[in-house]
Amino acid sequence: MQLLWVVVMGVLGAFGAEGEDALCRILGSPEFPMLSKEGDVTIGGAFTIHTKISVPPLSFTDTPPPLTCSSMNLIDFHLAQTMIFAIEEINNSSSLLPNISIGYRIYDSCGSTLSSMRAVMALMNGQERTVGKTCSGQSAVHAIIGASDSSSTIVMSRSTGAFQIPVISYFATCACLSNRKEFPSFFRTIPSDFYQSRALAQLVKYFGWTWVGAVRSDNAYGNNGMATFVEAAGLEGVCIEYSEAILWNNPREQIARVVEVISRASSKVVVAFLSQWEMDVLLEEALAQNLTGLQWVGSESWITIDRLATRRSSAVLGGTLGFTLRKSKIPGLREFLLQVGPFWETTFSCRFSPQQEKDGGPRQSQCSGSERLEEISNPFTDTSELRFSNNVYKAVYAVAHSIHDLLTCRHGEGQGVNRNCTHRDSIEPGQVLRYLRDVNFPMKSGERVSFDENGDPTAIYELVNWQRDQAGETVFVTVGNYNASLPNGDQFAMNGIQIVWAGNPLKRPRSVCSDSCLPGFRQAEIKGMQVCCFSCIPCAAGEISNLTDSAKCTQCSLEYWSNGDKSRCVPKVVEFLSFHETMGILLAAISLVGACLTIAVSLVFFCFRETPIVKASNSELSFLLLFSLTLCFLCSLTFIGRPSEWSCMLRHTAFGITFALCMSCVLAKTIAVVIAFQATMPGNTVPQCSIPLQRISVFSCTLLQVVICVLWLALAPSVPFKNTAHATEKVILECDVGSAVGFWAVLGYVGLLALLCFVLAFLARKLPDNFSEAKFITFSMLIFCAVWITFIPAYVSSPGKFTVAVEIFAILASSFGLLFCIFGPKCYIILLKPEKNTKKHIMGKRVASPHLALPD
């Protein structure tokens, strides 16, 4: 280093054309290393000290002239000096590689794969061109630090892999380099784009940007990184509207076309997976076309490059977001850099030789040599954002630790002694390679350095946002972080710092193909378009979506239904015939009226029990019939109200028993009338009906129904049941009959008794007109049978509470029919025609049989 400094300062002292030519020859020619120093072990370096390369014409008849590099890149020169600083620091260390000196050979790759190839050949052979027998078969370097881009690194790694020369890149992020079969000797101190691409996909998804554009470098870095991003974005539900590729040396027409595509697109977010050189040319064209109002999301290659973050570029890139490496501090680096002084012209805008008139352009003053670097700030002396410099620093230390472990017979920190160690004079690159795989050590900053099985470090990024300070300068503010070593879901996190957005600094831009579907709607794909372009379709009845942009609607459970806007499930309306609704109140009132009328008739019969018409009606059976009719009216009340276990068991059994009692009484009355009047026929000797026989018949007929009901309740009773099948939007609370056989047996038995009554009454229809009870029974049974025959289809087809209402209506209609038809005419005579309530009128003149004599 001291020898280089003497040479450089000697050149600076010339201040003439010869001095400038010599300086250019030292700094710009790839024919020999730009910077070198001998040592016990040697580390090679490849940096993009110049960004442009001129390829001379090839005649294929003469020796090709050397490549010419131009356009000084102070950033990479800063990185090269960081490598030298790390080596000097290690050489001065008493704990790491004591008594071992590290040398270096640094070449300029000129940002070209061709120049990188020549540089790596020179590093391996000890010179760029090998003539005759100068190839010794032994590499001139034990490891190589570089290069500054993925494409150049791929070229270098493919060349060194067969010779087991480790290559450690500080900038190459292409995920393809993690392929151990293709690149067995490659390592890097910068995370793979495999992780960055996924982090970018999570970032755009986090902010709801599902419709984005993409621009990439048309090289290994951009193509591989963007391919991984597109794949990861697809898994996150993010769609790519367009994907364009550029190179920094493309014709301006092609760059202009890409900017036009960006400006015409509907997406408001651009993911730029570009190197800093492609971003340079794209930014210039974007400024020329006044491309503003877009939210840029950048990759680590350019997101923290100071020369891009100017006041001029803020109109296009203001509010940019992107992942970058963590910042770090390297003590003593700035002081070291200030001792390097070969860049007066670039730094102070002066010239070593007087500017000729023919040169044109703005006039520049002549350098005096007394300018001071520490008084200014430029990319070379800036140590505030040591991100990539720290990668170079860690790479050098990784090589040093691997050699240290090799010489001290150890495999990594904390591992046992390996007897197969070597001497410093016989170190081979392959040995360094093997030990490099196991390095694991802490840096001064506390950061640990190690490599996984693919040669990659742990992927940790900072999310930076381009904001402007009070002076109006662009600063990189850390607003989040990404750590790939954490579990999924915890890898990406924001730190709570306010983000400044593009366009409106306080309003996050929206970038979607279709507006979000609100809760209650679901997305439906539009044929021929990407999945991010969709229409919103309301959820069907009974389905909900409670999230924005739901891909599908969720069916509510059986007892729940969707609310009005179909955003949540609410309990279904429970339907049953209630005492609080109009229909329930009306039926209950009619039931009570019927019961009261029946009781009133009973009172009338009781008050007039000594009258001929009451005696002729068989008062005992009449009172029993009136009692059963009262129960029939009241049993309908058990059908109203919320079904419960007791009400379900009571309603049908009470109905069946009371109606069986009622029909038994009517049947007994009908049989008594038929027998009595058959006895009046000449030649008939049928005995007069006795009261005990009527009681036995009533009891027997009723007892049989009681037995049927008891068996029904014992085997399969009626229980409350929530019917969700009949109506989807409500729950019908009803009584499940339990056993259909039992239910229809009860109804069938009542129907059988009614049919017998109807038949017997029909046979007695021609009895004397004055004693027309058989006719009234016939008519009442006709009404009864008609009601219950029509009940069956109405009961089966009526939904919900109307099923119960139909059953109540049948009970009330048949009960009123019996009450009015059997007792109505008698009450009419008793109350309104008392003159007909005589024995003579009831018996009639044509009836002279002693069997019909009314009791006194």
Side-chain angles (χ1 to χ4, degrees), residues 403-416:
I403 298 175
H404 183 85
D405 292 340
L406 171 63
L407 295 177
T408 56
C409 310
R410 291 186 177 274
H411 271 296
E413 182 177 316
Q415 300 187 18

Side-chain angles (χ1 to χ4, degrees), residues 541-555:
E543 296 181 343
I544 66 160
S545 64
N546 54 8
L547 299 175
T548 302
D549 288 333
S550 294
K552 62 179 182 179
C553 298
T554 304
Q555 182 73 43

Side-chain angles (χ1 to χ4, degrees), residues 127-149:
Q127 57 187 25
E128 184 187 303
R129 296 171 180 167
T130 300
V131 181
K133 299 181 180 180
T134 57
C135 181
S136 64
Q138 176 68 37
S139 173
V141 295
H142 297 85
I144 299 175
I145 309 297
S148 301
D149 61 277

Side-chain angles (χ1 to χ4, degrees), residues 24-25 27-32 34 50 52-58 63-70 107-120 128-129:
C24 292
R25 185 169 65 85
L27 298 179
S29 174
E31 292 291 330
F32 47 85
M34 292 182 55
H50 295 87
K52 294 182 181 180
I53 184 171
S54 300
V55 180
L58 302 177
T63 301
L67 302 176
T68 303
C69 299
S70 60
Y107 281 82
D108 185 1
S109 65
C110 299
S112 165
T113 55
L114 177 59
S115 185
S116 297
M117 184 64 178
R118 300 184 69 174
V120 73
E128 184 187 303
R129 296 171 180 167

Side-chain angles (χ1 to χ4, degrees), residues 292-580:
T292 59
L294 297 179
Q295 178 66 51
W296 290 80
V297 177
S299 60
E300 96 296 333
S301 178
W302 65 270
I303 196 66
T304 54
I305 300 300
D306 288 322
R307 72 170 184 275
L308 298 175
T310 63
R311 294 190 180 188
R312 177 169 171 264
S313 66
S314 62
V316 174
L317 298 179
T320 293
L321 284 168
F323 288 104
T324 188
L325 307 178
R326 291 187 298 180
K327 290 188 294 186
S328 183
K329 292 183 178 181
I330 303 178
L333 178 60
R334 177 172 173 80
E335 291 74 16
F336 176 83
L337 294 175
L338 292 177
Q339 298 174 14
V340 181
F343 300 102
W344 263 249
E345 288 191 352
T346 303
T347 304
F348 298 105
S349 299
C350 63
R351 294 177 62 88
F352 288 120
S353 60
Q355 183 173 2
Q356 304 296 324
E357 294 295 333
K358 61 181 180 181
D359 291 343
R363 301 290 297 180
Q364 291 182 335
S365 61
Q366 189 171 5
C367 298
S368 66
S370 61
E371 294 85 2
R372 297 178 59 84
L373 283 171
E374 59 267 23
E375 295 177 354
I376 59 111
S377 177
N378 62 16
F380 177 73
T381 59
D382 184 16
T383 57
S384 62
E385 296 281 340
L386 293 181
R387 303 179 191 272
F388 301 108
S389 301
N390 190 47
N391 286 348
V392 175
Y393 191 66
K394 291 187 295 184
V396 175
Y397 266 86
V399 174
H401 274 273
S402 65
I403 298 175
H404 183 85
D405 292 340
L406 171 63
L407 295 177
T408 56
C409 310
R410 291 186 177 274
H411 271 296
E413 182 177 316
Q415 300 187 18
V417 175
N418 178 13
R419 299 300 180 185
N420 298 323
C421 47
T422 187
H423 190 266
R424 66 180 182 179
D425 295 331
S426 58
I427 298 175
E428 296 181 359
Q431 295 174 310
V432 178
L433 173 64
R434 287 191 295 274
Y435 276 81
L436 195 58
R437 296 176 182 140
D438 298 326
V439 295
N440 189 337
F441 61 92
M443 299 293 293
K444 295 178 182 178
S445 61
E447 181 182 1
R448 296 199 69 87
V449 178
S450 62
F451 303 103
D452 63 14
E453 63 275 9
N454 298 320
D456 295 328
T458 302
I460 300 177
Y461 297 99
E462 289 181 353
L463 177 63
V464 297
N465 178 220
W466 286 23
Q467 301 184 11
R468 303 184 72 173
D469 59 15
Q470 294 181 350
E473 298 296 335
T474 299
V475 292
F476 308 126
V477 179
T478 300
V479 295
N481 56 77
Y482 180 89
N483 189 337
S485 64
L486 297 177
N488 289 335
D490 299 330
Q491 295 175 339
F492 176 62
M494 305 296 293
N495 61 13
I497 296 178
Q498 177 66 44
I499 296 177
V500 173
W501 305 101
N504 186 344
L506 300 179
K507 183 178 180 182
R508 185 172 65 195
R510 294 182 71 252
S511 186
V512 295
C513 181
S514 301
D515 289 332
S516 297
C517 292
L518 299 176
F521 293 81
R522 66 173 179 86
Q523 297 177 351
E525 293 185 12
I526 301 175
K527 187 176 181 180
M529 300 188 70
Q530 297 190 56
V531 295
C532 297
C533 302
F534 50 82
S535 57
C536 297
I537 296 179
C539 292
E543 296 181 343
I544 66 160
S545 64
N546 54 8
L547 299 175
T548 302
D549 288 333
S550 294
K552 62 179 182 179
C553 298
T554 304
Q555 182 73 43
C556 293
S557 58
L558 287 177
E559 296 186 10
Y560 288 81
W561 195 248
S562 54
N563 61 349
D565 57 6
K566 297 182 176 63
S567 61
R568 61 189 181 94
C569 291
V570 295
K572 288 183 178 179
V573 175
V574 179
E575 181 182 274
F576 59 90
L577 188 60
S578 169
F579 284 105
H580 303 290

Side-chain angles (χ1 to χ4, degrees), residues 696-715:
I696 291 173
S697 64
V698 170
F699 178 78
S700 300
C701 293
T702 305
L703 180 62
L704 184 58
Q705 182 73 302
V706 171
V707 172
I708 295 174
C709 290
V710 170
L711 291 175
W712 182 17
L713 293 178
L715 298 178

